[in-house]
Amino acid sequence: MNINILISEKVNQAMLAVGAPAHCKAQVRQSVNTKFGDYQVNGLMAAAKQLGVPSNQLAKKVISMLNLDGIARSVDIAGPGFINIVLDSQWLATQIAIALASPRLGILPYSPQTIVVDYSSPNVAKEMHVGHLRSTIIGDASARILEFLGHNVIRANHIGDWGTHFGMLIAYLEKVEYGGESEIKLSSLDNFYRKAKNNFDRDPDFAQKARNYVVKLQSGDSYCLQMWRKLVNITIVQNQKIYDRLNITLSQDNVMGESMYNNMLPGIVADLKAKGLAVEKAGATLVFLNECKNKEGKPMGVIIQKTDGAYLYTTTDIACAKYRYETLKADRIIYYIDSRQHQHLLQVWTIVRKAGYIPETVLLEHHMFGMILGQNRKPFKTREGVTIKLNDLLDEALKRARSLILSKHINVDDINIVELERLAQVISIGAVKYAELSKNRTSNYIFNWDEMLSFDGNTAPYIQYAYTRIRSIFKRSALNEQLFTGHISLEDEQEHLLAVRLLQYQETIAIVARDGTPHVLCAYLYNLAVLFSSFYENYPILNANSDKQRQSRLQLALLTSRTLQQGLNLLGIDTVERM
Ligand code: ARG
């Protein structure tokens, strides 16, 4: 049930019926303060202004035409022309029962779109580091949510597997292999990259060989391709281990690296030239964009082929966008890339639109994000100033989660080592992911171990713990959850509020699916957990006054636990049955 849409439709109808212009919308919002009801209508002042009538008068007319029979308990005008709506408890109870009866908690699937989600996308022959955390975690939550809503989601891991540096990497791989070191692991690949670079900078013969290999690789030489493949495969296998560890839904099948578009590039450059969009200048090929201005205020020249014939990151992304529309049949393409690449994407999109590769109806969205900072507000690094590897970060999280479990917060008397390890894993991964997901992605944020592993506040452990508390009610009741079928009655204020909050799950997910803002779902789950725990403190559940009341409250508790579990799941975070 999407209550917001339901009320919006009804109010919009009433507004039209009293002559409000069609473009004036109801602007229905969840009330932040209960004294304004459960929902409020904010759009009447603007409509009244358009009509040139007093807003209070318009509000009265709208209410007279507004039919919320059986849905709302009261509909009142407040202030200059707001409408406050309190939902009907009986109606809420029915909706709760419907949600409880469905494994999807009452959330109906959307009409499916094909949505390409470009995320994670690390570079080959480099170990994944903390800079890839945001794209990987936020992109994955977004993919899960869109999929849950019924869309055909295509996960695209646009790995950086092409470029001139492969000449040097191949030359060095050859050197290593001759030296008898047959297998290189990615854990040493960072080292590998550094050593390759070192050789390239210091040894002219090596550098010459590397340059030759670049040319050979680009012209499809089989030896170079084979060496290149080896480097790519090692990276993919190593990255997959991190994805699995982090409970990220990417698989090796989702790898669609830059190299995949190589054979499209000459055709694209030729086509852009033929369309008069690209021009040659001093041997290079550029597209001049009036839409993007350079520092002198002149149309920006975007290079798509260099004088030496090499193509660029932009050229690849043009081909890639075209492929996603033409071949993958995308209705919507979302990029989870940091904000520094926004300009790059705008250039790519302007070009693909102008060239007619992608129609305006297909959405291109950059769900950008800021940086992760250390306590010193500089990019998050080790004390020695080294970029933090993801594996090391997760090891540290695991260590901290273990000691958290062993500290006073959790009862470990009867916990065995297997359970302890499982718990530490769920808590550590949950904490790291939730810390990412709960922040508004557009801003930078400061990485803070203590905060993310706290049982207080908007954290994963808080919500995971709230979940186990509800589970323990059921365990103690020894009742079969399937049999909670009695009538739900929402007599008290807190029961009413909890029910409304539970039923706002769908509209919350709808926002996240539209905007790619998992922090909205985090805030919702946190708020739901807080609301439930205050309810639980004030209203006995197992010791309720009557069997009827107990049954009713147990059902509210059950839907709360399911919502928390499913909500966390959509964020890629697991729950446990006890802590
Ligand atoms: N490999 C790039 C990087 O590490 C990110 C690629 C993002 N996706 C894209 N289609 N450009 O910065």
Side-chain angles (χ1 to χ4, degrees):
M1 167 56 54
N2 190 324
I3 303 177
N4 195 313
I5 289 184
L6 177 74
I7 297 179
S8 298
E9 280 171 358
K10 301 257 182 201
V11 181
N12 284 331
Q13 271 168 22
M15 285 170 71
L16 279 177
V18 301
H23 68 269
C24 289
K25 294 294 173 217
Q27 298 184 37
V28 174
R29 305 277 178 272
Q30 298 171 4
S31 304
V32 266
N33 189 326
T34 49
K35 76 173 187 236
F36 302 128
D38 299 318
Y39 282 84
Q40 61 190 63
V41 177
N42 294 346
L44 295 186
M45 278 71 76
K49 204 167 167 190
Q50 292 262 326
L51 291 171
V53 298
S55 50
N56 202 284
Q57 196 182 316
L58 180 69
K60 273 190 200 136
K61 275 179 147 180
V62 168
I63 286 187
S64 72
M65 297 303 290
L66 180 60
N67 182 3
L68 287 174
D69 291 353
I71 299 174
R73 177 168 78 203
S74 67
V75 179
D76 297 308
I77 300 175
F82 296 102
I83 297 179
N84 295 342
I85 297 170
V86 180
L87 295 165
D88 179 74
S89 293
Q90 189 46 52
W91 182 80
L92 288 171
T94 308
Q95 303 310 316
I96 295 278
I98 293 173
L100 261 179
S102 118
R104 296 177 57 86
L105 307 183
I107 297 185
L108 300 174
Y110 284 32
S111 59
Q113 283 186 315
T114 295
I115 306 179
V116 173
V117 185
D118 179 325
Y119 69 104
S120 195
S121 310
N123 295 322
V124 163
K126 288 199 171 168
E127 197 175 336
M128 271 174 89
H129 57 80
V130 68
H132 296 108
L133 206 57
R134 301 204 85 178
S135 174
T136 305
I137 293 174
I138 302 174
D140 199 55
S142 175
R144 283 172 191 258
I145 289 168
L146 293 167
E147 205 157 56
F148 173 73
L149 288 177
H151 295 301
N152 167 29
V153 172
I154 300 177
R155 293 166 171 77
N157 194 353
H158 190 84
I159 62 169
D161 63 355
W162 203 252
T164 48
H165 54 289
F166 277 96
M168 136 193 133
L169 293 169
I170 291 170
Y172 188 65
L173 179 58
E174 183 182 80
K175 194 170 165 176
V176 170
E177 286 191 336
Y178 269 118
E181 225 181 291
S182 57
E183 206 199 322
I184 25 157
K185 290 195 234 74
L186 193 64
S187 58
S188 59
L189 256 186
D190 256 357
N191 237 337
F192 179 91
Y193 193 97
R194 220 169 299 126
K195 285 189 187 151
K197 179 92 176 62
N198 223 310
N199 273 271
F200 185 81
D201 292 341
R202 304 234 164 113
D203 177 353
D205 289 343
F206 180 94
Q208 191 46 47
K209 192 181 242 179
R211 276 191 283 270
N212 284 341
Y213 281 164
V214 176
V215 179
K216 281 184 141 184
L217 181 66
Q218 281 172 348
S219 59
D221 173 78
S222 69
Y223 169 74
C224 283
L225 275 174
Q226 184 203 330
M227 296 292 266
W228 165 79
R229 246 295 122 223
K230 223 181 242 183
L231 289 162
V232 174
N233 284 344
I234 296 167
T235 316
I236 291 178
V237 168
Q238 289 296 324
N239 288 346
Q240 191 58 44
K241 287 187 191 149
I242 297 191
Y243 295 144
D244 294 345
R245 192 173 175 192
L246 257 176
N247 188 13
I248 293 294
T249 54
L250 284 169
S251 77
Q252 299 198 17
D253 296 341
N254 304 130
V255 173
M256 298 183 218
E258 293 180 20
S259 66
M260 222 177 92
Y261 308 99
N262 282 348
N263 58 11
M264 290 174 72
L265 304 181
I268 291 217
V269 173
D271 185 54
L272 292 176
K273 275 186 185 162
K275 287 185 168 135
L277 288 167
V279 289
E280 263 184 50
K281 206 176 164 191
T285 307
L286 293 89
V287 179
F288 284 95
L289 297 175
N290 287 317
E291 296 79 358
C292 315
K293 296 271 186 312
N294 65 16
K295 280 191 207 101
E296 291 96 54
K298 301 232 174 71
M300 166 125 38
V302 181
I303 303 176
I304 54 169
Q305 189 169 18
K306 294 201 287 188
T307 32
D308 63 3
Y311 302 100
L312 289 99
Y313 185 50
T314 308
T315 331
T316 304
D317 260 323
I318 295 170
C320 165
K322 187 169 186 280
Y323 174 85
R324 287 170 179 177
Y325 169 65
E326 278 175 6
T327 308
L328 301 180
K329 307 268 180 273
D331 299 304
R332 184 180 176 196
I333 308 173
I334 310 176
Y335 298 79
Y336 284 91
I337 318 181
D338 82 55
S339 50
R340 289 168 298 184
Q341 295 194 29
H342 190 57
Q343 165 100 304
H344 158 76
L345 281 180
L346 287 182
Q347 291 170 352
V348 169
W349 297 348
T350 310
I351 295 171
V352 296
R353 296 276 197 214
K354 282 180 119 172
Y357 296 155
I358 301 188
E360 294 291 338
T361 47
V362 171
L363 301 173
L364 297 167
E365 300 172 27
H366 183 194
H367 290 184
M368 63 177 117
F369 45 83
M371 289 203 298
I372 305 179
L373 306 177
Q375 294 296 331
N376 57 5
R377 298 184 173 269
K378 300 221 171 85
F380 184 43
K381 297 213 160 126
T382 63
R383 233 172 267 157
E384 296 75 34
V386 180
T387 311
I388 297 171
K389 294 178 187 169
L390 267 189
N391 255 327
D392 296 345
L393 184 97
L394 298 181
D395 287 343
E396 175 73 16
L398 195 59
K399 207 173 82 194
R400 286 175 184 257
R402 259 188 224 115
S403 57
L404 178 72
I405 296 163
L406 297 171
S407 78
K408 61 184 159 47
H409 292 291
I410 298 176
N411 179 8
V412 285
D413 295 345
D414 53 356
I415 194 171
N416 64 39
I417 185 78
V418 179
E419 199 179 347
L420 174 76
E421 279 310 297
R422 165 85 187 128
L423 203 52
Q425 196 207 339
V426 170
I427 290 181
S428 64
I429 299 298
V432 169
K433 284 178 132 179
Y434 196 88
E436 266 306 321
L437 295 165
S438 57
K439 314 283 188 312
N440 186 336
R441 63 174 160 73
T442 52
S443 37
N444 296 340
Y445 85 93
I446 295 173
F447 194 91
N448 185 327
W449 283 119
D450 295 333
E451 203 178 273
M452 74 178 78
L453 280 160
S454 162
F455 278 95
D456 296 316
N458 186 10
T459 66
Y462 176 83
I463 300 173
Q464 286 168 323
Y465 184 63
Y467 172 79
T468 62
R469 275 184 79 199
I470 308 178
R471 297 302 303 164
S472 76
I473 302 173
F474 301 129
K475 245 176 273 155
R476 270 184 290 139
S477 78
L479 291 167
N480 185 345
E481 290 163 26
Q482 310 305 324
L483 301 178
F484 295 167
T485 48
H487 178 74
I488 298 166
S489 65
L490 308 167
E491 282 153 21
D492 291 285
E493 181 62 12
Q494 288 231 32
E495 286 174 316
H496 176 98
L497 288 180
L498 181 60
V500 171
R501 200 65 189 136
L502 282 165
L503 293 169
Q504 287 171 337
Y505 183 46
Q506 167 137 15
E507 60 195 57
T508 304
I509 293 182
I511 294 172
V512 183
R514 185 192 62 201
D515 301 336
T517 46
H519 74 279
V520 174
L521 178 55
C522 293
Y524 168 81
L525 295 173
Y526 173 57
N527 184 274
L528 177 63
V530 169
L531 214 58
F532 182 82
S533 92
S534 94
F535 171 70
Y536 189 34
E537 271 152 36
N538 298 312
Y539 295 79
I541 294 183
L542 291 178
N543 297 325
N545 285 331
S546 62
D547 188 47
K548 199 173 143 230
Q549 195 175 57
R550 178 168 43 249
Q551 281 287 331
S552 174
R553 289 184 182 164
L554 278 168
Q555 290 182 75
L556 283 180
L558 185 61
L559 186 58
T560 305
S561 72
R562 287 204 188 144
T563 306
L564 293 178
Q565 182 177 41
Q566 192 188 79
L568 284 177
N569 239 285
L570 289 179
L571 295 170
I573 297 173
D574 282 338
T575 46
V576 287
E577 290 301 298
R578 62 172 196 165
M579 277 188 169

